[in-house]
Structure formats: structure tokens, C-alpha cells
Amino acid sequence: QVGDQVLGADRQGNTFPVTVKNVFDQGVKKVRKYTFYSNSGSEFNITCTADHKFLMAVSAEYVVNAE
């Protein structure tokens, strides 16, 4: 919702809080749960739509899940 805080990232991999300024109603979509693991072994989960873009630290490009 507008006003919510979400985690943003830049191309250098720095993360920071961002306030949602606008939302787009794209109807109801299926979501998937992705689990990410850090080099230190910790993990975190993101639940999002299958076409959600992720900024990949290795290539500094946005990647859309191809499944």
C-alpha cells in the first residue's frame, strides 16, 4: 500500500528502506516463495509473483525468473 516501507537496492548491492509512492493493480496473480542463502549461511525468504525482478549482485542486472 502507498506509505508502506519496503527494501530497495541499488546496482552496487546496497539496500535501504524505500517508501511506496504508487501501486499498480495487476489483478490476482499466483505467488512463489524464493529462499536465498548468503555466503555466511544465513537464509531469507521472499514471496512474490513469478515475474518479479531481482537485482543479481554478480552481474548487476535485473533478472526475471524464467520458469
Side-chain angles (χ1 to χ4, degrees):
Q1 294 182 351
V2 173
D4 284 354
Q5 291 282 308
V6 296
L7 189 61
D10 61 22
R11 293 191 179 272
Q12 289 73 41
N14 302 306
T15 58
F16 44 88
V18 178
T19 302
V20 175
K21 296 181 180 178
N22 198 356
V23 294
F24 302 94
D25 184 354
Q26 298 179 4
V28 177
K29 292 185 173 184
K30 291 183 181 180
V31 295
R32 295 183 178 175
K33 180 179 176 183
Y34 296 93
T35 302
F36 294 88
Y37 299 91
S38 71
N39 290 337
S40 65
S42 61
E43 69 177 63
F44 63 95
N45 299 303
I46 296 177
T47 302
C48 59
T49 57
D51 61 351
H52 185 81
K53 294 180 180 180
F54 293 94
L55 179 62
M56 305 303 290
V58 175
S59 63
E61 296 178 7
Y62 287 99
V63 177
V64 177
N65 181 25
E67 290 182 25

Short mmCIF file of all heavy atoms in Angstrom, two decimals:
data_model
loop_
_atom_site.label_atom_id
_atom_site.label_comp_id
_atom_site.label_asym_id
_atom_site.label_seq_id
_atom_site.Cartn_x
_atom_site.Cartn_y
_atom_site.Cartn_z
N GLN A 1 0.83 -1.18 0.00
CA GLN A 1 0.00 0.00 0.00
C GLN A 1 0.87 1.24 0.00
O GLN A 1 2.00 1.21 0.49
CB GLN A 1 -0.90 0.01 1.22
CG GLN A 1 -1.93 -1.07 1.25
CD GLN A 1 -2.82 -0.94 2.49
OE1 GLN A 1 -2.57 -0.15 3.38
NE2 GLN A 1 -3.88 -1.72 2.52
N VAL A 2 0.36 2.31 -0.53
CA VAL A 2 1.09 3.57 -0.50
C VAL A 2 1.42 3.92 0.94
O VAL A 2 0.59 3.79 1.83
CB VAL A 2 0.26 4.69 -1.17
CG1 VAL A 2 0.92 6.05 -0.99
CG2 VAL A 2 0.04 4.39 -2.65
N GLY A 3 2.66 4.31 1.17
CA GLY A 3 3.11 4.65 2.51
C GLY A 3 3.85 3.53 3.21
O GLY A 3 4.56 3.76 4.18
N ASP A 4 3.71 2.28 2.72
CA ASP A 4 4.44 1.15 3.31
C ASP A 4 5.93 1.32 3.08
O ASP A 4 6.36 2.01 2.15
CB ASP A 4 4.01 -0.17 2.68
CG ASP A 4 2.66 -0.66 3.17
OD1 ASP A 4 2.09 -0.04 4.08
OD2 ASP A 4 2.18 -1.67 2.62
N GLN A 5 6.72 0.69 3.92
CA GLN A 5 8.17 0.65 3.75
C GLN A 5 8.57 -0.70 3.16
O GLN A 5 8.11 -1.74 3.63
CB GLN A 5 8.88 0.84 5.10
CG GLN A 5 8.72 2.22 5.68
CD GLN A 5 9.64 3.21 5.01
OE1 GLN A 5 10.83 2.99 4.89
NE2 GLN A 5 9.07 4.32 4.55
N VAL A 6 9.40 -0.67 2.12
CA VAL A 6 9.92 -1.89 1.50
C VAL A 6 11.43 -1.75 1.40
O VAL A 6 11.98 -0.66 1.60
CB VAL A 6 9.30 -2.14 0.11
CG1 VAL A 6 7.79 -2.38 0.22
CG2 VAL A 6 9.59 -1.00 -0.85
N LEU A 7 12.11 -2.85 1.10
CA LEU A 7 13.56 -2.82 0.97
C LEU A 7 13.94 -2.59 -0.48
O LEU A 7 13.54 -3.34 -1.37
CB LEU A 7 14.14 -4.14 1.47
CG LEU A 7 15.65 -4.21 1.60
CD1 LEU A 7 16.14 -3.16 2.61
CD2 LEU A 7 16.08 -5.60 2.04
N GLY A 8 14.69 -1.54 -0.74
CA GLY A 8 15.18 -1.24 -2.07
C GLY A 8 16.66 -1.57 -2.16
O GLY A 8 17.33 -1.80 -1.15
N ALA A 9 17.19 -1.62 -3.39
CA ALA A 9 18.61 -1.91 -3.59
C ALA A 9 19.11 -1.15 -4.81
O ALA A 9 18.36 -0.91 -5.76
CB ALA A 9 18.83 -3.40 -3.78
N ASP A 10 20.38 -0.78 -4.78
CA ASP A 10 20.98 -0.15 -5.95
C ASP A 10 21.89 -1.16 -6.65
O ASP A 10 22.04 -2.30 -6.20
CB ASP A 10 21.73 1.13 -5.58
CG ASP A 10 22.88 0.90 -4.61
OD1 ASP A 10 23.39 -0.23 -4.51
OD2 ASP A 10 23.29 1.88 -3.94
N ARG A 11 22.48 -0.77 -7.75
CA ARG A 11 23.30 -1.69 -8.56
C ARG A 11 24.59 -2.10 -7.86
O ARG A 11 25.24 -3.05 -8.27
CB ARG A 11 23.59 -1.08 -9.92
CG ARG A 11 22.35 -0.97 -10.76
CD ARG A 11 22.67 -0.62 -12.19
NE ARG A 11 21.47 -0.53 -12.98
CZ ARG A 11 20.89 -1.55 -13.60
NH1 ARG A 11 21.41 -2.75 -13.50
NH2 ARG A 11 19.80 -1.39 -14.30
N GLN A 12 24.97 -1.42 -6.80
CA GLN A 12 26.15 -1.81 -6.03
C GLN A 12 25.82 -2.81 -4.93
O GLN A 12 26.69 -3.27 -4.21
CB GLN A 12 26.83 -0.57 -5.43
CG GLN A 12 27.51 0.32 -6.45
CD GLN A 12 26.55 1.11 -7.30
OE1 GLN A 12 25.56 1.63 -6.80
NE2 GLN A 12 26.82 1.21 -8.60
N GLY A 13 24.54 -3.14 -4.79
CA GLY A 13 24.13 -4.10 -3.78
C GLY A 13 23.78 -3.49 -2.44
O GLY A 13 23.49 -4.21 -1.48
N ASN A 14 23.81 -2.18 -2.34
CA ASN A 14 23.42 -1.50 -1.10
C ASN A 14 21.91 -1.56 -0.96
O ASN A 14 21.19 -1.32 -1.92
CB ASN A 14 23.88 -0.04 -1.12
CG ASN A 14 25.37 0.08 -1.31
OD1 ASN A 14 26.14 -0.52 -0.56
ND2 ASN A 14 25.79 0.83 -2.31
N THR A 15 21.44 -1.88 0.22
CA THR A 15 19.99 -1.93 0.47
C THR A 15 19.60 -0.78 1.39
O THR A 15 20.41 -0.30 2.19
CB THR A 15 19.57 -3.27 1.10
OG1 THR A 15 20.28 -3.47 2.31
CG2 THR A 15 19.84 -4.43 0.14
N PHE A 16 18.35 -0.35 1.26
CA PHE A 16 17.88 0.79 2.02
C PHE A 16 16.35 0.77 2.03
O PHE A 16 15.73 0.24 1.11
CB PHE A 16 18.39 2.09 1.41
CG PHE A 16 18.28 2.14 -0.09
CD1 PHE A 16 17.12 2.58 -0.70
CD2 PHE A 16 19.32 1.69 -0.87
CE1 PHE A 16 17.01 2.60 -2.08
CE2 PHE A 16 19.22 1.70 -2.26
CZ PHE A 16 18.05 2.16 -2.86
N PRO A 17 15.74 1.36 3.07
CA PRO A 17 14.28 1.41 3.11
C PRO A 17 13.75 2.43 2.10
O PRO A 17 14.35 3.48 1.90
CB PRO A 17 13.98 1.85 4.54
CG PRO A 17 15.21 2.54 5.00
CD PRO A 17 16.36 1.92 4.26
N VAL A 18 12.64 2.07 1.47
CA VAL A 18 12.01 2.94 0.48
C VAL A 18 10.51 3.01 0.82
O VAL A 18 9.91 1.99 1.14
CB VAL A 18 12.19 2.38 -0.94
CG1 VAL A 18 11.49 3.24 -1.97
CG2 VAL A 18 13.67 2.23 -1.28
N THR A 19 9.94 4.19 0.73
CA THR A 19 8.51 4.35 0.96
C THR A 19 7.77 4.15 -0.36
O THR A 19 8.14 4.74 -1.38
CB THR A 19 8.20 5.75 1.51
OG1 THR A 19 8.93 5.92 2.73
CG2 THR A 19 6.72 5.92 1.78
N VAL A 20 6.74 3.30 -0.34
CA VAL A 20 5.93 3.06 -1.54
C VAL A 20 5.17 4.33 -1.87
O VAL A 20 4.45 4.87 -1.03
CB VAL A 20 4.96 1.88 -1.31
CG1 VAL A 20 4.03 1.70 -2.52
CG2 VAL A 20 5.73 0.60 -1.03
N LYS A 21 5.34 4.80 -3.11
CA LYS A 21 4.68 6.04 -3.55
C LYS A 21 3.51 5.77 -4.47
O LYS A 21 2.65 6.63 -4.64
CB LYS A 21 5.69 6.94 -4.23
CG LYS A 21 6.77 7.41 -3.30
CD LYS A 21 7.74 8.32 -3.99
CE LYS A 21 8.82 8.75 -3.00
NZ LYS A 21 9.80 9.59 -3.61
N ASN A 22 3.48 4.60 -5.11
CA ASN A 22 2.42 4.29 -6.04
C ASN A 22 2.28 2.78 -6.13
O ASN A 22 3.26 2.06 -5.94
CB ASN A 22 2.75 4.86 -7.43
CG ASN A 22 1.54 4.96 -8.33
OD1 ASN A 22 0.45 4.54 -7.96
ND2 ASN A 22 1.73 5.52 -9.50
N VAL A 23 1.10 2.30 -6.38
CA VAL A 23 0.87 0.87 -6.58
C VAL A 23 0.08 0.68 -7.87
O VAL A 23 -0.63 1.58 -8.32
CB VAL A 23 0.11 0.23 -5.39
CG1 VAL A 23 0.95 0.26 -4.13
CG2 VAL A 23 -1.22 0.90 -5.15
N PHE A 24 0.23 -0.49 -8.47
CA PHE A 24 -0.45 -0.80 -9.71
C PHE A 24 -1.26 -2.07 -9.52
O PHE A 24 -0.70 -3.11 -9.17
CB PHE A 24 0.57 -0.99 -10.84
CG PHE A 24 1.44 0.21 -11.04
CD1 PHE A 24 2.66 0.32 -10.41
CD2 PHE A 24 1.01 1.26 -11.83
CE1 PHE A 24 3.47 1.43 -10.58
CE2 PHE A 24 1.80 2.39 -12.01
CZ PHE A 24 3.02 2.48 -11.38
N ASP A 25 -2.54 -1.99 -9.72
CA ASP A 25 -3.41 -3.16 -9.58
C ASP A 25 -3.28 -3.99 -10.85
O ASP A 25 -3.73 -3.60 -11.92
CB ASP A 25 -4.85 -2.72 -9.37
CG ASP A 25 -5.78 -3.90 -9.13
OD1 ASP A 25 -5.34 -5.06 -9.23
OD2 ASP A 25 -6.96 -3.65 -8.82
N GLN A 26 -2.64 -5.15 -10.72
CA GLN A 26 -2.45 -6.06 -11.84
C GLN A 26 -3.33 -7.29 -11.69
O GLN A 26 -3.07 -8.33 -12.29
CB GLN A 26 -0.99 -6.46 -11.96
CG GLN A 26 -0.10 -5.27 -12.23
CD GLN A 26 1.36 -5.67 -12.33
OE1 GLN A 26 1.72 -6.83 -12.28
NE2 GLN A 26 2.22 -4.69 -12.48
N GLY A 27 -4.34 -7.19 -10.86
CA GLY A 27 -5.23 -8.31 -10.64
C GLY A 27 -4.60 -9.33 -9.71
O GLY A 27 -3.57 -9.09 -9.09
N VAL A 28 -5.23 -10.47 -9.61
CA VAL A 28 -4.75 -11.54 -8.74
C VAL A 28 -3.78 -12.41 -9.52
O VAL A 28 -4.07 -12.83 -10.64
CB VAL A 28 -5.94 -12.39 -8.23
CG1 VAL A 28 -5.44 -13.55 -7.39
CG2 VAL A 28 -6.90 -11.52 -7.43
N LYS A 29 -2.60 -12.64 -8.94
CA LYS A 29 -1.59 -13.49 -9.57
C LYS A 29 -1.11 -14.52 -8.56
O LYS A 29 -1.14 -14.29 -7.36
CB LYS A 29 -0.38 -12.67 -10.01
CG LYS A 29 -0.64 -11.71 -11.14
CD LYS A 29 0.67 -11.05 -11.55
CE LYS A 29 0.51 -10.21 -12.78
NZ LYS A 29 1.79 -9.65 -13.21
N LYS A 30 -0.65 -15.64 -9.08
CA LYS A 30 -0.03 -16.65 -8.21
C LYS A 30 1.30 -16.11 -7.72
O LYS A 30 1.96 -15.34 -8.40
CB LYS A 30 0.20 -17.95 -8.98
CG LYS A 30 -1.08 -18.67 -9.34
CD LYS A 30 -0.76 -19.98 -10.02
CE LYS A 30 -2.05 -20.70 -10.40
NZ LYS A 30 -1.77 -21.98 -11.07
N VAL A 31 1.66 -16.53 -6.51
CA VAL A 31 2.94 -16.12 -5.95
C VAL A 31 3.79 -17.35 -5.69
O VAL A 31 3.29 -18.47 -5.59
CB VAL A 31 2.79 -15.30 -4.65
CG1 VAL A 31 2.09 -13.98 -4.92
CG2 VAL A 31 2.06 -16.09 -3.58
N ARG A 32 5.08 -17.12 -5.58
CA ARG A 32 6.05 -18.17 -5.27
C ARG A 32 6.91 -17.72 -4.11
O ARG A 32 7.10 -16.52 -3.90
CB ARG A 32 6.95 -18.44 -6.48
CG ARG A 32 6.19 -19.00 -7.64
CD ARG A 32 7.13 -19.30 -8.75
NE ARG A 32 6.37 -19.89 -9.85
CZ ARG A 32 6.86 -20.19 -11.01
NH1 ARG A 32 8.13 -19.95 -11.26
NH2 ARG A 32 6.12 -20.72 -11.94
N LYS A 33 7.43 -18.67 -3.39
CA LYS A 33 8.33 -18.37 -2.28
C LYS A 33 9.75 -18.75 -2.72
O LYS A 33 10.00 -19.88 -3.13
CB LYS A 33 7.95 -19.17 -1.03
CG LYS A 33 8.84 -18.90 0.15
CD LYS A 33 8.36 -19.72 1.35
CE LYS A 33 9.27 -19.55 2.53
NZ LYS A 33 8.84 -20.39 3.66
N TYR A 34 10.66 -17.77 -2.67
CA TYR A 34 12.05 -17.98 -3.02
C TYR A 34 12.89 -17.93 -1.75
O TYR A 34 12.68 -17.06 -0.90
CB TYR A 34 12.54 -16.91 -3.99
CG TYR A 34 11.82 -16.94 -5.32
CD1 TYR A 34 10.69 -16.17 -5.55
CD2 TYR A 34 12.27 -17.75 -6.35
CE1 TYR A 34 10.04 -16.19 -6.76
CE2 TYR A 34 11.62 -17.79 -7.57
CZ TYR A 34 10.50 -17.01 -7.77
OH TYR A 34 9.85 -17.04 -8.98
N THR A 35 13.84 -18.83 -1.62
CA THR A 35 14.75 -18.84 -0.48
C THR A 35 16.14 -18.49 -0.99
O THR A 35 16.63 -19.10 -1.94
CB THR A 35 14.77 -20.21 0.20
OG1 THR A 35 13.45 -20.54 0.63
CG2 THR A 35 15.70 -20.21 1.41
N PHE A 36 16.76 -17.50 -0.36
CA PHE A 36 18.10 -17.07 -0.71
C PHE A 36 19.04 -17.38 0.44
O PHE A 36 18.66 -17.28 1.61
CB PHE A 36 18.11 -15.57 -0.99
CG PHE A 36 17.31 -15.19 -2.20
CD1 PHE A 36 15.95 -14.92 -2.09
CD2 PHE A 36 17.90 -15.12 -3.44
CE1 PHE A 36 15.20 -14.57 -3.19
CE2 PHE A 36 17.17 -14.77 -4.56
CZ PHE A 36 15.81 -14.50 -4.44
N TYR A 37 20.27 -17.73 0.11
CA TYR A 37 21.29 -18.06 1.11
C TYR A 37 22.48 -17.12 0.93
O TYR A 37 22.94 -16.92 -0.20
CB TYR A 37 21.75 -19.51 0.95
CG TYR A 37 20.62 -20.50 1.14
CD1 TYR A 37 19.87 -20.93 0.06
CD2 TYR A 37 20.31 -20.98 2.40
CE1 TYR A 37 18.83 -21.83 0.24
CE2 TYR A 37 19.26 -21.87 2.59
CZ TYR A 37 18.53 -22.29 1.50
OH TYR A 37 17.49 -23.17 1.67
N SER A 38 22.97 -16.58 2.02
CA SER A 38 24.15 -15.72 1.96
C SER A 38 25.40 -16.57 2.04
O SER A 38 25.34 -17.77 2.35
CB SER A 38 24.14 -14.72 3.12
OG SER A 38 24.40 -15.40 4.33
N ASN A 39 26.53 -15.95 1.78
CA ASN A 39 27.81 -16.66 1.89
C ASN A 39 28.08 -17.14 3.31
O ASN A 39 28.79 -18.11 3.51
CB ASN A 39 28.96 -15.77 1.41
CG ASN A 39 28.92 -15.53 -0.07
OD1 ASN A 39 28.35 -16.32 -0.82
ND2 ASN A 39 29.51 -14.43 -0.51
N SER A 40 27.49 -16.47 4.28
CA SER A 40 27.69 -16.86 5.68
C SER A 40 26.75 -17.98 6.11
O SER A 40 26.83 -18.46 7.23
CB SER A 40 27.50 -15.65 6.59
OG SER A 40 26.16 -15.20 6.51
N GLY A 41 25.83 -18.38 5.21
CA GLY A 41 24.93 -19.48 5.53
C GLY A 41 23.56 -19.08 6.00
O GLY A 41 22.69 -19.92 6.16
N SER A 42 23.35 -17.78 6.25
CA SER A 42 22.02 -17.36 6.67
C SER A 42 21.09 -17.38 5.46
O SER A 42 21.52 -17.34 4.32
CB SER A 42 22.06 -15.98 7.31
OG SER A 42 22.52 -15.02 6.38
N GLU A 43 19.81 -17.48 5.74
CA GLU A 43 18.84 -17.54 4.65
C GLU A 43 17.71 -16.55 4.89
O GLU A 43 17.45 -16.15 6.01
CB GLU A 43 18.28 -18.94 4.47
CG GLU A 43 17.38 -19.42 5.59
CD GLU A 43 16.79 -20.79 5.32
OE1 GLU A 43 17.56 -21.75 5.23
OE2 GLU A 43 15.56 -20.89 5.20
N PHE A 44 17.07 -16.14 3.81
CA PHE A 44 15.88 -15.32 3.92
C PHE A 44 14.95 -15.67 2.78
O PHE A 44 15.38 -16.17 1.74
CB PHE A 44 16.20 -13.83 3.96
CG PHE A 44 16.85 -13.29 2.72
CD1 PHE A 44 16.09 -12.70 1.72
CD2 PHE A 44 18.23 -13.38 2.55
CE1 PHE A 44 16.68 -12.20 0.58
CE2 PHE A 44 18.82 -12.87 1.40
CZ PHE A 44 18.05 -12.29 0.42
N ASN A 45 13.68 -15.44 2.99
CA ASN A 45 12.66 -15.80 2.01
C ASN A 45 11.98 -14.56 1.47
O ASN A 45 11.79 -13.58 2.19
CB ASN A 45 11.59 -16.68 2.67
CG ASN A 45 12.18 -17.97 3.19
OD1 ASN A 45 12.78 -18.72 2.45
ND2 ASN A 45 12.03 -18.20 4.48
N ILE A 46 11.62 -14.63 0.20
CA ILE A 46 10.83 -13.59 -0.44
C ILE A 46 9.65 -14.27 -1.11
O ILE A 46 9.82 -15.25 -1.84
CB ILE A 46 11.65 -12.82 -1.49
CG1 ILE A 46 12.80 -12.06 -0.82
CG2 ILE A 46 10.75 -11.87 -2.27
CD1 ILE A 46 13.69 -11.33 -1.78
N THR A 47 8.46 -13.77 -0.86
CA THR A 47 7.26 -14.26 -1.54
C THR A 47 6.84 -13.19 -2.52
O THR A 47 6.61 -12.03 -2.12
CB THR A 47 6.14 -14.55 -0.54
OG1 THR A 47 6.62 -15.51 0.42
CG2 THR A 47 4.91 -15.11 -1.23
N CYS A 48 6.77 -13.55 -3.80
CA CYS A 48 6.44 -12.57 -4.83
C CYS A 48 5.88 -13.29 -6.06
O CYS A 48 5.86 -14.51 -6.11
CB CYS A 48 7.68 -11.77 -5.21
SG CYS A 48 9.03 -12.80 -5.82
N THR A 49 5.46 -12.50 -7.04
CA THR A 49 4.96 -13.09 -8.28
C THR A 49 6.13 -13.68 -9.07
O THR A 49 7.29 -13.30 -8.88
CB THR A 49 4.26 -12.02 -9.14
OG1 THR A 49 5.18 -10.96 -9.40
CG2 THR A 49 3.02 -11.50 -8.44
N ALA A 50 5.82 -14.60 -9.96
CA ALA A 50 6.86 -15.29 -10.74
C ALA A 50 7.63 -14.34 -11.65
O ALA A 50 8.79 -14.60 -11.98
CB ALA A 50 6.23 -16.41 -11.57
N ASP A 51 7.02 -13.22 -12.04
CA ASP A 51 7.72 -12.29 -12.93
C ASP A 51 8.40 -11.13 -12.19
O ASP A 51 8.85 -10.17 -12.80
CB ASP A 51 6.76 -11.74 -13.99
CG ASP A 51 5.58 -10.98 -13.40
OD1 ASP A 51 5.39 -11.00 -12.17
OD2 ASP A 51 4.84 -10.37 -14.19
N HIS A 52 8.52 -11.26 -10.86
CA HIS A 52 9.19 -10.22 -10.07
C HIS A 52 10.67 -10.17 -10.45
O HIS A 52 11.32 -11.20 -10.62
CB HIS A 52 9.05 -10.53 -8.58
CG HIS A 52 9.60 -9.47 -7.70
ND1 HIS A 52 8.91 -8.33 -7.40
CD2 HIS A 52 10.79 -9.37 -7.08
CE1 HIS A 52 9.64 -7.58 -6.60
NE2 HIS A 52 10.80 -8.19 -6.40
N LYS A 53 11.22 -8.96 -10.61
CA LYS A 53 12.62 -8.81 -10.98
C LYS A 53 13.51 -8.81 -9.74
O LYS A 53 13.14 -8.28 -8.69
CB LYS A 53 12.83 -7.51 -11.74
CG LYS A 53 12.14 -7.50 -13.07
CD LYS A 53 12.38 -6.19 -13.78
CE LYS A 53 11.67 -6.18 -15.12
NZ LYS A 53 11.90 -4.91 -15.84
N PHE A 54 14.68 -9.42 -9.88
CA PHE A 54 15.69 -9.43 -8.83
C PHE A 54 16.97 -8.82 -9.37
O PHE A 54 17.37 -9.11 -10.49
CB PHE A 54 15.99 -10.87 -8.37
CG PHE A 54 14.83 -11.52 -7.67
CD1 PHE A 54 13.94 -12.30 -8.36
CD2 PHE A 54 14.64 -11.33 -6.32
CE1 PHE A 54 12.86 -12.89 -7.72
CE2 PHE A 54 13.59 -11.92 -5.66
CZ PHE A 54 12.69 -12.70 -6.37
N LEU A 55 17.63 -8.00 -8.58
CA LEU A 55 18.93 -7.45 -8.95
C LEU A 55 19.99 -8.44 -8.52
O LEU A 55 20.13 -8.74 -7.33
CB LEU A 55 19.15 -6.09 -8.28
CG LEU A 55 20.49 -5.42 -8.57
CD1 LEU A 55 20.62 -5.12 -10.06
CD2 LEU A 55 20.62 -4.14 -7.77
N MET A 56 20.72 -8.99 -9.47
CA MET A 56 21.73 -10.00 -9.19
C MET A 56 23.07 -9.32 -8.92
O MET A 56 23.58 -8.59 -9.78
CB MET A 56 21.86 -10.97 -10.36
CG MET A 56 20.53 -11.62 -10.75
SD MET A 56 19.72 -12.51 -9.40
CE MET A 56 20.82 -13.89 -9.24
N ALA A 57 23.65 -9.57 -7.77
CA ALA A 57 24.90 -8.92 -7.38
C ALA A 57 26.05 -9.30 -8.29
O ALA A 57 26.95 -8.51 -8.54
CB ALA A 57 25.24 -9.27 -5.93
N VAL A 58 26.03 -10.49 -8.84
CA VAL A 58 27.13 -10.96 -9.69
C VAL A 58 27.19 -10.17 -10.99
O VAL A 58 28.26 -9.75 -11.43
CB VAL A 58 26.97 -12.47 -10.00
CG1 VAL A 58 28.02 -12.93 -10.98
CG2 VAL A 58 27.02 -13.26 -8.71
N SER A 59 26.04 -9.91 -11.60
CA SER A 59 26.03 -9.26 -12.90
C SER A 59 25.53 -7.82 -12.85
O SER A 59 25.62 -7.11 -13.84
CB SER A 59 25.15 -10.06 -13.86
OG SER A 59 23.82 -10.07 -13.40
N ALA A 60 24.99 -7.39 -11.72
CA ALA A 60 24.41 -6.06 -11.57
C ALA A 60 23.35 -5.79 -12.64
O ALA A 60 23.22 -4.71 -13.16
CB ALA A 60 25.48 -4.97 -11.59
N GLU A 61 22.58 -6.82 -12.96
CA GLU A 61 21.48 -6.70 -13.90
C GLU A 61 20.23 -7.22 -13.25
O GLU A 61 20.26 -8.08 -12.38
CB GLU A 61 21.77 -7.51 -15.18
CG GLU A 61 22.95 -7.03 -15.96
CD GLU A 61 23.20 -7.90 -17.18
OE1 GLU A 61 22.38 -8.78 -17.47
OE2 GLU A 61 24.24 -7.71 -17.82
N TYR A 62 19.10 -6.70 -13.73
CA TYR A 62 17.82 -7.22 -13.24
C TYR A 62 17.49 -8.49 -14.01
O TYR A 62 17.63 -8.56 -15.22
CB TYR A 62 16.71 -6.18 -13.42
CG TYR A 62 16.82 -5.06 -12.45
CD1 TYR A 62 17.39 -3.85 -12.80
CD2 TYR A 62 16.36 -5.22 -11.15
CE1 TYR A 62 17.50 -2.82 -11.89
CE2 TYR A 62 16.46 -4.19 -10.23
CZ TYR A 62 17.03 -3.00 -10.61
OH TYR A 62 17.13 -1.98 -9.70
N VAL A 63 17.04 -9.50 -13.28
CA VAL A 63 16.73 -10.80 -13.88
C VAL A 63 15.31 -11.17 -13.50
O VAL A 63 14.90 -11.02 -12.37
CB VAL A 63 17.71 -11.88 -13.36
CG1 VAL A 63 17.37 -13.24 -13.92
CG2 VAL A 63 19.14 -11.49 -13.68
N VAL A 64 14.57 -11.66 -14.48
CA VAL A 64 13.22 -12.16 -14.23
C VAL A 64 13.28 -13.67 -14.22
O VAL A 64 13.93 -14.29 -15.08
CB VAL A 64 12.24 -11.68 -15.31
CG1 VAL A 64 10.86 -12.26 -15.10
CG2 VAL A 64 12.17 -10.15 -15.32
N ASN A 65 12.61 -14.29 -13.27
CA ASN A 65 12.57 -15.74 -13.18
C ASN A 65 12.05 -16.30 -14.51
O ASN A 65 11.01 -15.90 -15.00
CB ASN A 65 11.68 -16.17 -12.02
CG ASN A 65 11.61 -17.65 -11.86
OD1 ASN A 65 12.52 -18.36 -12.25
ND2 ASN A 65 10.53 -18.12 -11.29
N ALA A 66 12.76 -17.27 -15.06
CA ALA A 66 12.41 -17.81 -16.39
C ALA A 66 11.45 -18.99 -16.33
O ALA A 66 11.08 -19.53 -17.35
CB ALA A 66 13.68 -18.21 -17.11
N GLU A 67 11.06 -19.42 -15.13
CA GLU A 67 10.19 -20.59 -15.04
C GLU A 67 8.81 -20.31 -15.58
O GLU A 67 8.25 -19.30 -15.49
CB GLU A 67 10.06 -21.04 -13.59
CG GLU A 67 11.34 -21.64 -13.08
CD GLU A 67 11.17 -22.13 -11.65
OE1 GLU A 67 10.04 -22.45 -11.22
OE2 GLU A 67 12.17 -22.18 -10.96
#
